[in-house]
Amino acid sequence: MPEDWAAVARAISERIRELGWRQRELAERSHVSVAVVREIQRHTVERRRSPRTLESLSVALGWEPGRLDAVLKGRAQQVRAGNRRPADGAALLPRLEACEGRLDEIARLLSGLKADLATVIEQVRDER
């Protein structure tokens, strides 16, 4: 089934209008750049997006995390019928878990950089 980015654009535009927001507010709340929000909402560039992008936008708009992905894949009616809107805390849980995973990855990378830096410093001292 083809992806329907025009439907995603309509869904975002309608929801932004309902909430009385501007693109910038959606961008800030979803942590998605204004440029990407604009591209998706105006349907100017059709390209693969990270699943996290649509999830972040969905949650910021007050929907379940998979809502925009379902719209994209033509399953929006099934999602709406099968899921009630989660409470705010429940909607944030997947995003918090994703953030926790990213922080763990960043910590591992920083630890590796620290070890590499210590090696370089030791080599520079030895050369003196």
Side-chain angles (χ1 to χ4, degrees), residues 71-86:
V71 170
L72 176 66
K73 294 174 181 163
R75 297 182 286 110
Q77 297 296 15
Q78 295 169 347
V79 169
R80 230 177 277 134
N83 293 333
R84 291 187 348 226
R85 182 177 177 258

Side-chain angles (χ1 to χ4, degrees), residues 10-106:
R10 283 191 304 276
I12 291 172
S13 294
E14 289 170 12
R15 186 65 173 156
I16 286 176
R17 201 170 19 263
E18 286 174 13
L19 297 169
W21 292 356
R22 297 187 182 277
Q23 286 176 341
R24 180 168 301 285
E25 187 162 359
L26 175 57
E28 289 171 1
R29 289 173 181 256
S30 65
H31 303 286
V32 173
S33 75
V34 175
V36 170
V37 170
R38 185 179 306 117
E39 285 178 2
I40 293 172
Q41 188 184 4
R42 292 184 181 167
H43 188 56
T44 54
V45 177
E46 197 168 293
R47 69 177 106 191
R48 283 194 93 71
R49 303 283 178 184
S50 162
R52 287 187 206 146
T53 300
L54 292 181
E55 181 179 299
S56 295
L57 291 168
S58 293
V59 171
L61 290 165
W63 291 330
E64 64 275 3
R67 175 70 170 272
L68 287 174
D69 186 59
V71 170
L72 176 66
K73 294 174 181 163
R75 297 182 286 110
Q77 297 296 15
Q78 295 169 347
V79 169
R80 230 177 277 134
N83 293 333
R84 291 187 348 226
R85 182 177 177 258
D88 287 345
L92 290 176
L93 186 60
R95 292 187 68 200
L96 289 173
E97 289 171 346
C99 287
E100 185 176 56
R102 287 186 208 162
L103 287 173
D104 288 343
E105 184 179 343
I106 290 168

